[in-house]
Amino acid sequence: MSTGTRTGTRTTTGGTRGTGGKGGGRAGGILSGLAVALGSVLFLGGFVWGAILYQPYTVPTGSMTPTVDAGDRILAQRIDGSEVRRGDIVVFNDPLWGDVPMVKRVVAVGGDKVACCDKQGRLTVNGKPIDEPYLLDPKAPASPTGFSATVPKDNLFMMGDNRATSEDSRVRLTDSDDGSVPRSAVNARADAIAWPSGRMGMLQRPAAFAGLSGDGPSAPGPLKAVVAAVVGGAVLIFCGAAYGPLARVAGRRRTAR
């Protein structure tokens, strides 16, 4: 009787362990499935969201060096021209500027008077000097040649950050719009450099124009949230998919013991 009792106890104990292991396995399988499903939603949703909001462009010239170089691949948020603010780097198409998308910085908007240079060699907008640390040579005059222009309503005055070589609104001052570009010509606003890998990163909104009257600098687009959704989704998919193989390996090790 004593032996039978011990045997029954061992059998019962073993059954309890087995049932607990299977229950844990089922719960783990459900959680791993949910992780893969949620990860897929985030991953695919992030890609779709990004494709709707953003478009990649290749910078055609070195006129925006050092901010962006010729050949850099940038991600630009699709926007309406009415959303453009001073200091923004925009992508635009204007037949007078050529047949390819151009990338320049907006330094003045409709109604502004833009001129260069003051006694310290700075650009002025409505008489206010603008410090431009993003220029290729911040210590040099903001423009090798002096100029003055009043920007027509609903237009934008464009300049490159490489002022010595940039062919921008300054060289088109004899045009009917004083070299400016219609807001309607703007396709997108640059948010980040996507390639080459050594230059990847968000493009900063300059604080230099914040003190001017009117609309302040534009807010960054949702690119960080888009990237977070894609990366987070990929991590969830990987972790969920890895659970099954890892659980089987762990089960074999327990059986071997």
Side-chain angles (χ1 to χ4, degrees), residues 64-78:
M64 282 297 295
T65 301
T67 308
V68 289
D69 288 336
D72 281 0
R73 193 77 166 168
I74 61 173
L75 291 176
Q77 183 184 2
R78 294 181 174 93

Side-chain angles (χ1 to χ4, degrees), residues 65-67 105 132-138 140-143 160-163:
T65 301
T67 308
R105 188 183 296 275
E132 301 180 277
Y134 46 75
L135 297 181
L136 179 61
D137 186 358
S143 176
D161 290 354
N162 185 358
R163 299 285 166 79

Side-chain angles (χ1 to χ4, degrees), residues 199-243:
R199 291 175 52 79
M200 289 174 63
M202 299 294 293
L203 294 172
Q204 300 300 314
R205 299 290 197 271
F209 299 90
L212 296 171
S213 61
D215 295 325
S218 61
L223 183 59
K224 288 184 178 180
V226 171
V227 173
V230 172
V231 173
V235 170
L236 284 173
I237 292 171
F238 176 80
C239 292
Y243 172 81

Side-chain angles (χ1 to χ4, degrees), residues 2 6 20 50 54 92 153 161 171 188 195 227 255:
S2 174
R6 289 197 191 104
Y54 286 91
F92 65 96
K153 182 182 178 181
D161 290 354
V171 302
W195 192 260
V227 173
T255 301

